[in-house]
Amino acid sequence: MPTKPAASETGDPLLLTPGPLTTSRTVKQAMVHDWGSRDATFLEINRAVLDRIVEIAGGVGTHVTVPMQGSGTFAVEAMLTSFVPRGGKVLLLANGAYGQRAMKICAIAGRAHQILETPEDTPPSLSKLDETLAADPSITHVFAVHCETTSGILNPIRQIAGVVAAHGRRLLVDSMSAFGALDIDAVAVPYDALAASSNKCLEGVPGVGFVVCRLDALKAAKGNATTLVLDLHDQWQAFERTGQWRFTPPIHVIVSLHQAIEEHRAEGGVKGRGARYAANCKVLIDGMAQLGFKPLLPPELQAPIIVTFHMPTHPAFGFQAFYDGLKDRGYVIYPGKLTVADSFRIGCIGRISPEQMKGALAAVTEVLAEMGVTLKEAA
Ligand SMILES: *Cc1c(COP(=O)(O)O)cnc(C)c1O
């Protein structure tokens, strides 16, 4: 008999994906109101959200949060095109789709760039980074991805920041899938800007990205932007002058993000949230290993965010049937998009407990049995 379908607090399937994610009932309920975009009630909530994000980043007094309507990529594009001046040059550290996407942004925006690429299961080389910066004084900025969600790899962001600072260059970080769960303190990891979004580890609904900006660097970014809407300096100036957004804000997203940040704090902030995700990740990897699945990454490179597993080669295994069987039981997983290996991914983030992750493993066990697949070699 199949396990009872799993459910989030609202009875929907659990999203074991890289985002958007399962959110709490209270985060969704925060949205059943209307607010005027210029009304004091909304503007106070908005101000609190921006301030709380700076607190989470460890940048009180030195950094500001500039939000950007849209998904996370809007924030990344705003960051690259607002901080890298037209005469600048970016060195992009890439080991997955998000590094590649940053390159595309630079190409379209006409920003000089160079890519330092490693395979998807390999962190950027710190010595190559060091050599490249030493050899090319025209490089003004380095772009790095904190957790590359393509594979789930944890890139050595603190060491990268150290090398970049030693050369006197500026760091731009895509911490989209890590911010709020993995430590990236603005003092320990010096950066000019860090991009993230509402719908990953902060467990809000999708619709707004944000860039945590070092205030001095943001002030110096005036006039860099090549688009009106993605101009972070201009967006920030509007908040400074009026407390208001330049264009229609995603009001409901922001009010529910405010609730999500309250829940983040109640869970113990970055430490508490990171601990739950680590527990989810451990349950997942241990349980999948017992069933005979192999993770792509060794433990020391694995971030507790999303896990890539090799696609089984058993002749009776079919990914679509596997996916559908899990979906029927209330768990939504994610296909892989790696070039190094045929794979699929299971996320550890969102409003999901280790207990619910055990439920997902029970569902995996059942679906394998239904397909007639045994992955574990006989001992
Ligand atoms: C999710 C994510 C993004 C942004 O993706 P959107 O689909 O635009 O929200 C960027 N970088 C990383 C590392 C991500 O995980």
Side-chain angles (χ1 to χ4, degrees):
M1 204 177 71
T3 47
K4 204 162 76 225
S8 68
E9 289 168 312
T10 41
D12 306 310
L14 288 170
L15 302 176
L16 305 178
T17 63
L21 304 166
T22 296
T23 57
S24 70
R25 176 190 287 272
T26 36
V27 162
K28 287 183 278 284
Q29 278 171 342
M31 292 184 287
V32 297
H33 300 281
D34 299 301
W35 297 266
S37 66
R38 315 251 173 242
D39 183 75
T41 311
F42 169 69
L43 294 180
E44 258 171 52
I45 295 172
N46 186 67
R47 186 70 256 160
V49 166
L50 303 185
D51 290 347
R52 296 290 284 281
I53 289 171
V54 169
E55 286 169 33
I56 294 169
V60 176
T62 50
H63 293 64
V64 291
T65 309
V66 186
M68 182 55 64
Q69 297 98 324
S71 81
T73 304
F74 289 67
V76 173
E77 182 156 347
M79 174 173 78
L80 282 163
T81 55
S82 297
F83 278 88
V84 181
R86 280 161 238 210
K89 179 174 177 182
V90 201
L91 180 65
L92 303 148
L93 305 180
N95 54 353
Y98 294 104
Q100 293 295 336
R101 188 176 296 175
M103 181 172 75
K104 211 165 170 181
I105 289 168
C106 291
I108 290 171
R111 297 303 196 273
H113 56 277
Q114 180 180 337
I115 192 159
L116 210 57
E117 202 174 2
T118 44
E120 289 145 338
D121 54 1
T122 310
S125 157
L126 296 170
S127 58
K128 272 242 173 67
L129 170 62
D130 186 53
E131 282 165 31
T132 309
L133 293 179
D136 187 352
S138 75
I139 294 169
T140 52
H141 292 75
V142 174
F143 170 89
V145 181
H146 188 182
C147 167
E148 195 16 293
T149 326
T150 310
S151 65
I153 195 170
L154 180 62
N155 285 325
I157 198 70
R158 183 190 281 252
Q159 290 90 325
I160 290 169
V163 175
V164 173
H167 286 274
R169 315 299 167 86
R170 308 306 186 84
L171 180 65
L172 306 175
V173 185
D174 172 353
S175 184
M176 203 69 60
S177 61
F179 185 81
L182 303 183
D183 192 40
I184 176 157
D185 183 82
V187 177
V189 182
Y191 56 76
D192 271 11
L194 172 150
S197 75
S198 54
N199 66 270
K200 295 211 175 170
C201 301
L202 292 180
E203 297 186 358
V205 301
V208 73
F210 53 85
V211 183
V212 180
C213 307
R214 198 166 57 76
L215 195 48
D216 289 347
L218 181 61
K219 284 178 182 162
K222 185 176 177 163
N224 285 348
T226 29
T227 62
L228 171 68
V229 292
L230 297 178
D231 186 339
L232 289 176
H233 184 274
D234 199 45
Q235 184 96 319
W236 167 64
Q237 277 296 295
F239 289 118
E240 289 294 290
R241 280 195 309 266
T242 66
Q244 298 182 1
W245 289 66
R246 292 178 299 164
F247 315 123
T248 301
I251 291 182
H252 297 80
V253 176
I254 289 165
V255 176
S256 71
L257 181 57
H258 183 262
Q259 173 64 25
I261 291 174
E262 289 293 323
E263 293 175 17
H264 182 262
R265 179 188 276 188
E267 194 175 0
V270 173
K271 257 212 171 79
R273 178 123 326 158
R276 174 163 57 86
Y277 291 171
N280 288 347
C281 187
K282 181 165 169 28
V283 167
L284 174 66
I285 289 181
D286 290 354
M288 290 293 275
Q290 267 186 6
L291 293 170
F293 287 93
K294 293 189 172 53
L296 175 81
L297 298 169
E300 66 275 15
L301 296 179
Q302 177 69 59
I305 302 295
I306 190 164
V307 182
T308 300
F309 293 99
H310 287 282
M311 199 68 88
T313 51
H314 191 288
F317 185 90
F319 180 72
Q320 195 57 48
F322 183 62
Y323 179 95
D324 292 343
L326 291 175
K327 172 74 193 293
D328 289 345
R329 288 165 175 81
Y331 302 94
V332 176
I333 64 167
Y334 217 66
K337 50 175 176 181
L338 292 187
T339 53
V340 292
D342 193 15
S343 62
F344 65 91
R345 291 178 286 173
I346 299 185
C348 311
I349 59 181
R351 181 80 356 198
I352 290 162
S353 66
E355 219 36 61
Q356 288 172 312
M357 196 57 101
K358 284 181 192 156
L361 289 162
V364 170
T365 309
E366 278 184 13
V367 175
L368 287 184
E370 207 170 81
M371 290 194 296
V373 172
T374 319
L375 301 173
K376 199 79 187 157
E377 295 118 43

PDB file of all heavy atoms in Angstrom, residues 2-26:
ATOM      1  N   PRO A   2       0.627   2.206  -0.899  1.00  0.00           N
ATOM      2  CA  PRO A   2       1.491   3.389  -0.916  1.00  0.00           C
ATOM      3  C   PRO A   2       1.358   4.194   0.372  1.00  0.00           C
ATOM      4  O   PRO A   2       0.284   4.180   0.978  1.00  0.00           O
ATOM      5  CB  PRO A   2       0.977   4.217  -2.103  1.00  0.00           C
ATOM      6  CG  PRO A   2      -0.133   3.458  -2.728  1.00  0.00           C
ATOM      7  CD  PRO A   2      -0.465   2.270  -1.864  1.00  0.00           C
ATOM      8  N   THR A   3       2.435   4.830   0.760  1.00  0.00           N
ATOM      9  CA  THR A   3       2.364   5.702   1.929  1.00  0.00           C
ATOM     10  C   THR A   3       1.346   6.800   1.651  1.00  0.00           C
ATOM     11  O   THR A   3       1.134   7.193   0.517  1.00  0.00           O
ATOM     12  CB  THR A   3       3.720   6.395   2.207  1.00  0.00           C
ATOM     13  OG1 THR A   3       4.193   6.922   0.980  1.00  0.00           O
ATOM     14  CG2 THR A   3       4.728   5.465   2.809  1.00  0.00           C
ATOM     15  N   LYS A   4       0.729   7.248   2.708  1.00  0.00           N
ATOM     16  CA  LYS A   4      -0.207   8.371   2.606  1.00  0.00           C
ATOM     17  C   LYS A   4       0.533   9.551   1.976  1.00  0.00           C
ATOM     18  O   LYS A   4       1.687   9.803   2.346  1.00  0.00           O
ATOM     19  CB  LYS A   4      -0.654   8.723   4.026  1.00  0.00           C
ATOM     20  CG  LYS A   4      -1.982   9.420   4.092  1.00  0.00           C
ATOM     21  CD  LYS A   4      -2.555   9.335   5.488  1.00  0.00           C
ATOM     22  CE  LYS A   4      -1.930  10.229   6.402  1.00  0.00           C
ATOM     23  NZ  LYS A   4      -1.412  10.679   7.376  1.00  0.00           N
ATOM     24  N   PRO A   5      -0.094  10.252   1.035  1.00  0.00           N
ATOM     25  CA  PRO A   5       0.629  11.382   0.455  1.00  0.00           C
ATOM     26  C   PRO A   5       1.123  12.358   1.533  1.00  0.00           C
ATOM     27  O   PRO A   5       0.399  12.644   2.473  1.00  0.00           O
ATOM     28  CB  PRO A   5      -0.410  12.044  -0.447  1.00  0.00           C
ATOM     29  CG  PRO A   5      -1.382  10.972  -0.772  1.00  0.00           C
ATOM     30  CD  PRO A   5      -1.416  10.058   0.429  1.00  0.00           C
ATOM     31  N   ALA A   6       2.353  12.797   1.364  1.00  0.00           N
ATOM     32  CA  ALA A   6       2.918  13.778   2.290  1.00  0.00           C
ATOM     33  C   ALA A   6       2.221  15.097   2.062  1.00  0.00           C
ATOM     34  O   ALA A   6       1.538  15.281   1.074  1.00  0.00           O
ATOM     35  CB  ALA A   6       4.396  13.956   2.018  1.00  0.00           C
ATOM     36  N   ALA A   7       2.385  15.992   2.969  1.00  0.00           N
ATOM     37  CA  ALA A   7       1.737  17.277   2.760  1.00  0.00           C
ATOM     38  C   ALA A   7       2.471  18.369   3.506  1.00  0.00           C
ATOM     39  O   ALA A   7       3.023  18.141   4.570  1.00  0.00           O
ATOM     40  CB  ALA A   7       0.302  17.205   3.244  1.00  0.00           C
ATOM     41  N   SER A   8       2.451  19.541   2.929  1.00  0.00           N
ATOM     42  CA  SER A   8       2.883  20.725   3.648  1.00  0.00           C
ATOM     43  C   SER A   8       1.748  21.088   4.602  1.00  0.00           C
ATOM     44  O   SER A   8       0.711  20.431   4.610  1.00  0.00           O
ATOM     45  CB  SER A   8       3.127  21.856   2.658  1.00  0.00           C
ATOM     46  OG  SER A   8       1.892  22.261   2.106  1.00  0.00           O
ATOM     47  N   GLU A   9       1.921  22.157   5.344  1.00  0.00           N
ATOM     48  CA  GLU A   9       0.883  22.586   6.292  1.00  0.00           C
ATOM     49  C   GLU A   9      -0.441  22.900   5.604  1.00  0.00           C
ATOM     50  O   GLU A   9      -1.485  22.907   6.238  1.00  0.00           O
ATOM     51  CB  GLU A   9       1.349  23.836   7.050  1.00  0.00           C
ATOM     52  CG  GLU A   9       2.449  23.555   8.051  1.00  0.00           C
ATOM     53  CD  GLU A   9       3.078  24.852   8.554  1.00  0.00           C
ATOM     54  OE1 GLU A   9       3.420  25.722   7.735  1.00  0.00           O
ATOM     55  OE2 GLU A   9       3.211  24.985   9.765  1.00  0.00           O
ATOM     56  N   THR A  10      -0.397  23.160   4.307  1.00  0.00           N
ATOM     57  CA  THR A  10      -1.635  23.492   3.599  1.00  0.00           C
ATOM     58  C   THR A  10      -2.106  22.334   2.722  1.00  0.00           C
ATOM     59  O   THR A  10      -3.011  22.494   1.912  1.00  0.00           O
ATOM     60  CB  THR A  10      -1.440  24.755   2.739  1.00  0.00           C
ATOM     61  OG1 THR A  10      -0.154  24.688   2.115  1.00  0.00           O
ATOM     62  CG2 THR A  10      -1.503  26.000   3.585  1.00  0.00           C
ATOM     63  N   GLY A  11      -1.477  21.171   2.880  1.00  0.00           N
ATOM     64  CA  GLY A  11      -1.941  20.001   2.148  1.00  0.00           C
ATOM     65  C   GLY A  11      -1.364  19.861   0.753  1.00  0.00           C
ATOM     66  O   GLY A  11      -1.723  18.947   0.019  1.00  0.00           O
ATOM     67  N   ASP A  12      -0.470  20.742   0.375  1.00  0.00           N
ATOM     68  CA  ASP A  12       0.151  20.652  -0.950  1.00  0.00           C
ATOM     69  C   ASP A  12       1.359  19.722  -0.895  1.00  0.00           C
ATOM     70  O   ASP A  12       1.924  19.506   0.169  1.00  0.00           O
ATOM     71  CB  ASP A  12       0.605  22.046  -1.396  1.00  0.00           C
ATOM     72  CG  ASP A  12      -0.528  23.052  -1.347  1.00  0.00           C
ATOM     73  OD1 ASP A  12      -1.595  22.739  -1.903  1.00  0.00           O
ATOM     74  OD2 ASP A  12      -0.359  24.120  -0.732  1.00  0.00           O
ATOM     75  N   PRO A  13       1.775  19.192  -2.053  1.00  0.00           N
ATOM     76  CA  PRO A  13       2.996  18.374  -2.063  1.00  0.00           C
ATOM     77  C   PRO A  13       4.189  19.182  -1.542  1.00  0.00           C
ATOM     78  O   PRO A  13       4.222  20.407  -1.675  1.00  0.00           O
ATOM     79  CB  PRO A  13       3.188  18.039  -3.544  1.00  0.00           C
ATOM     80  CG  PRO A  13       1.860  18.236  -4.181  1.00  0.00           C
ATOM     81  CD  PRO A  13       1.168  19.306  -3.392  1.00  0.00           C
ATOM     82  N   LEU A  14       5.135  18.486  -0.941  1.00  0.00           N
ATOM     83  CA  LEU A  14       6.355  19.149  -0.457  1.00  0.00           C
ATOM     84  C   LEU A  14       7.305  19.350  -1.633  1.00  0.00           C
ATOM     85  O   LEU A  14       7.507  18.437  -2.440  1.00  0.00           O
ATOM     86  CB  LEU A  14       7.031  18.286   0.603  1.00  0.00           C
ATOM     87  CG  LEU A  14       6.312  18.220   1.944  1.00  0.00           C
ATOM     88  CD1 LEU A  14       6.938  17.145   2.821  1.00  0.00           C
ATOM     89  CD2 LEU A  14       6.368  19.565   2.653  1.00  0.00           C
ATOM     90  N   LEU A  15       7.877  20.537  -1.712  1.00  0.00           N
ATOM     91  CA  LEU A  15       8.777  20.861  -2.814  1.00  0.00           C
ATOM     92  C   LEU A  15      10.219  20.595  -2.388  1.00  0.00           C
ATOM     93  O   LEU A  15      10.786  21.365  -1.610  1.00  0.00           O
ATOM     94  CB  LEU A  15       8.592  22.324  -3.220  1.00  0.00           C
ATOM     95  CG  LEU A  15       7.164  22.716  -3.639  1.00  0.00           C
ATOM     96  CD1 LEU A  15       7.073  24.214  -3.924  1.00  0.00           C
ATOM     97  CD2 LEU A  15       6.716  21.907  -4.858  1.00  0.00           C
ATOM     98  N   LEU A  16      10.781  19.497  -2.874  1.00  0.00           N
ATOM     99  CA  LEU A  16      12.192  19.179  -2.576  1.00  0.00           C
ATOM    100  C   LEU A  16      13.025  19.646  -3.767  1.00  0.00           C
ATOM    101  O   LEU A  16      13.636  18.864  -4.471  1.00  0.00           O
ATOM    102  CB  LEU A  16      12.354  17.686  -2.319  1.00  0.00           C
ATOM    103  CG  LEU A  16      11.442  17.116  -1.215  1.00  0.00           C
ATOM    104  CD1 LEU A  16      11.636  15.615  -1.078  1.00  0.00           C
ATOM    105  CD2 LEU A  16      11.724  17.796   0.124  1.00  0.00           C
ATOM    106  N   THR A  17      12.976  20.944  -3.986  1.00  0.00           N
ATOM    107  CA  THR A  17      13.520  21.566  -5.198  1.00  0.00           C
ATOM    108  C   THR A  17      14.454  22.707  -4.800  1.00  0.00           C
ATOM    109  O   THR A  17      14.545  23.047  -3.618  1.00  0.00           O
ATOM    110  CB  THR A  17      12.361  22.139  -6.042  1.00  0.00           C
ATOM    111  OG1 THR A  17      11.700  23.165  -5.287  1.00  0.00           O
ATOM    112  CG2 THR A  17      11.341  21.056  -6.400  1.00  0.00           C
ATOM    113  N   PRO A  18      15.125  23.332  -5.786  1.00  0.00           N
ATOM    114  CA  PRO A  18      15.995  24.464  -5.427  1.00  0.00           C
ATOM    115  C   PRO A  18      15.233  25.778  -5.291  1.00  0.00           C
ATOM    116  O   PRO A  18      15.853  26.830  -5.202  1.00  0.00           O
ATOM    117  CB  PRO A  18      16.992  24.522  -6.583  1.00  0.00           C
ATOM    118  CG  PRO A  18      16.361  23.809  -7.709  1.00  0.00           C
ATOM    119  CD  PRO A  18      15.292  22.917  -7.179  1.00  0.00           C
ATOM    120  N   GLY A  19      13.955  25.778  -5.314  1.00  0.00           N
ATOM    121  CA  GLY A  19      13.180  27.013  -5.173  1.00  0.00           C
ATOM    122  C   GLY A  19      12.428  27.312  -6.458  1.00  0.00           C
ATOM    123  O   GLY A  19      12.943  26.980  -7.515  1.00  0.00           O
ATOM    124  N   PRO A  20      11.231  27.913  -6.366  1.00  0.00           N
ATOM    125  CA  PRO A  20      10.527  28.238  -5.132  1.00  0.00           C
ATOM    126  C   PRO A  20      10.289  27.000  -4.269  1.00  0.00           C
ATOM    127  O   PRO A  20      10.253  25.888  -4.783  1.00  0.00           O
ATOM    128  CB  PRO A  20       9.215  28.854  -5.593  1.00  0.00           C
ATOM    129  CG  PRO A  20       9.178  28.772  -7.071  1.00  0.00           C
ATOM    130  CD  PRO A  20      10.453  28.248  -7.562  1.00  0.00           C
ATOM    131  N   LEU A  21      10.096  27.250  -2.974  1.00  0.00           N
ATOM    132  CA  LEU A  21      10.073  26.171  -1.995  1.00  0.00           C
ATOM    133  C   LEU A  21       8.758  26.119  -1.239  1.00  0.00           C
ATOM    134  O   LEU A  21       7.950  27.034  -1.314  1.00  0.00           O
ATOM    135  CB  LEU A  21      11.183  26.424  -0.968  1.00  0.00           C
ATOM    136  CG  LEU A  21      12.574  26.567  -1.539  1.00  0.00           C
ATOM    137  CD1 LEU A  21      13.502  27.141  -0.495  1.00  0.00           C
ATOM    138  CD2 LEU A  21      13.077  25.235  -2.033  1.00  0.00           C
ATOM    139  N   THR A  22       8.612  25.062  -0.455  1.00  0.00           N
ATOM    140  CA  THR A  22       7.499  24.974   0.480  1.00  0.00           C
ATOM    141  C   THR A  22       7.664  26.087   1.518  1.00  0.00           C
ATOM    142  O   THR A  22       8.746  26.251   2.094  1.00  0.00           O
ATOM    143  CB  THR A  22       7.512  23.602   1.173  1.00  0.00           C
ATOM    144  OG1 THR A  22       7.280  22.598   0.174  1.00  0.00           O
ATOM    145  CG2 THR A  22       6.427  23.510   2.235  1.00  0.00           C
ATOM    146  N   THR A  23       6.580  26.832   1.727  1.00  0.00           N
ATOM    147  CA  THR A  23       6.604  27.898   2.736  1.00  0.00           C
ATOM    148  C   THR A  23       5.597  27.551   3.833  1.00  0.00           C
ATOM    149  O   THR A  23       4.730  26.696   3.641  1.00  0.00           O
ATOM    150  CB  THR A  23       6.208  29.253   2.109  1.00  0.00           C
ATOM    151  OG1 THR A  23       4.924  29.126   1.503  1.00  0.00           O
ATOM    152  CG2 THR A  23       7.217  29.698   1.061  1.00  0.00           C
ATOM    153  N   SER A  24       5.709  28.239   4.954  1.00  0.00           N
ATOM    154  CA  SER A  24       4.792  27.961   6.058  1.00  0.00           C
ATOM    155  C   SER A  24       3.397  28.518   5.734  1.00  0.00           C
ATOM    156  O   SER A  24       3.239  29.407   4.893  1.00  0.00           O
ATOM    157  CB  SER A  24       5.313  28.599   7.346  1.00  0.00           C
ATOM    158  OG  SER A  24       5.198  30.006   7.260  1.00  0.00           O
ATOM    159  N   ARG A  25       2.414  28.003   6.415  1.00  0.00           N
ATOM    160  CA  ARG A  25       1.049  28.503   6.256  1.00  0.00           C
ATOM    161  C   ARG A  25       0.979  29.990   6.620  1.00  0.00           C
ATOM    162  O   ARG A  25       0.334  30.786   5.940  1.00  0.00           O
ATOM    163  CB  ARG A  25       0.112  27.696   7.181  1.00  0.00           C
ATOM    164  CG  ARG A  25      -1.325  28.190   7.190  1.00  0.00           C
ATOM    165  CD  ARG A  25      -2.116  27.521   8.302  1.00  0.00           C
ATOM    166  NE  ARG A  25      -2.400  26.122   7.999  1.00  0.00           N
ATOM    167  CZ  ARG A  25      -3.470  25.716   7.314  1.00  0.00           C
ATOM    168  NH1 ARG A  25      -4.327  26.581   6.860  1.00  0.00           N
ATOM    169  NH2 ARG A  25      -3.669  24.430   7.081  1.00  0.00           N
ATOM    170  N   THR A  26       1.700  30.363   7.694  1.00  0.00           N
ATOM    171  CA  THR A  26       1.631  31.751   8.163  1.00  0.00           C
ATOM    172  C   THR A  26       2.268  32.721   7.154  1.00  0.00           C
ATOM    173  O   THR A  26       1.818  33.861   7.016  1.00  0.00           O
ATOM    174  CB  THR A  26       2.309  31.874   9.539  1.00  0.00           C
ATOM    175  OG1 THR A  26       3.435  30.989   9.581  1.00  0.00           O
ATOM    176  CG2 THR A  26       1.353  31.502  10.653  1.00  0.00           C
TER     177      THR A  26
END
